[in-house]
Amino acid sequence: MSAQECIFCKIASGQIPAVKIYEDEIVVAFLDIGPISDGHTLVLPRQHFEKVHNCPPELLGQIWTRLGKIANAVALATGADGYNVLCNNGRAAGQIVDHLHFHIVPRKAGDGVFAKWPSYKYGQGRAEAIAEKIIKFL
Ligand code: 5GP
Ligand code: ZN
């Protein structure tokens, strides 16, 4: 998806409407059109990058500088007991819109959102073997 065809670029530039809650020269934040809880918000850089690893670290820092303040406001306004900050990268991870964005999902105790969290235990030596492979790519 090119930046020209990107729905989030169009929202950021005002070509397509969205219920915005915050914007400045770096980021735009607006309510998700298909929320999984009231106040579900998306925060994205104005500049088009597909995934976290495509985004320059300085810009990631600028996004995260704003994320805490926005997340706190979302949580306070919705009376949330907590919130998740999520970033889906790639189709397998559930990324539908190829413009880097962070979900802020306000949570209530016992709301059942993300009830399925398929946790398991590593077998003997497996965590160390995986870590060794990852470290080679860093
Ligand atoms: P992803 O699955 O890519 O991490 O999340 C994309 C999110 O963008 C989805 O939760 C979806 O509901 C939201 N979304 C997609 N198109 C629009 C739109 O045109 N306006 C708004 N406000 N949200 C959108
Ligand atoms: Zn874009």
Side-chain angles (χ1 to χ4, degrees):
M1 186 192 295
S2 73
Q4 285 75 29
E5 296 157 358
C6 172
I7 188 115
F8 284 179
C9 281
K10 288 181 179 163
I11 289 175
S13 67
Q15 282 175 263
I16 288 180
V19 182
K20 289 181 181 167
I21 58 164
Y22 179 83
E23 60 183 320
D24 62 20
E25 72 284 10
I26 305 293
V27 305
V28 183
F30 52 88
L31 298 192
D32 193 305
I33 206 168
I36 57 173
S37 70
D38 278 358
H40 179 172
T41 293
L42 303 173
V43 181
L44 39 118
R46 287 189 181 279
Q47 254 187 297
H48 181 95
F49 295 101
E50 271 194 33
K51 299 185 174 75
V52 163
H53 65 269
N54 304 131
C55 185
E58 298 74 24
L59 179 54
L60 282 177
Q62 289 175 305
I63 299 165
W64 278 93
T65 300
R66 291 150 173 86
L67 250 171
K69 181 181 168 166
I70 298 168
N72 190 41
V74 168
L76 288 172
T78 56
D81 301 317
Y83 58 86
N84 296 100
V85 178
L86 287 175
C87 179
N88 300 326
N89 290 265
R91 293 287 174 270
Q95 185 174 17
I96 296 164
V97 180
D98 291 333
H99 181 132
L100 172 67
H101 55 279
F102 296 87
H103 295 254
I104 298 168
V105 182
R107 300 293 305 279
K108 292 266 166 61
D111 62 13
V113 175
F114 306 124
K116 190 166 171 260
W117 189 268
S119 168
Y120 61 90
K121 298 253 186 295
Y122 283 124
Q124 182 70 32
R126 184 149 168 77
E128 291 76 9
I130 292 170
E132 198 180 317
K133 277 195 201 170
I134 295 169
I135 289 164
K136 286 188 182 139
F137 285 100
L138 285 173

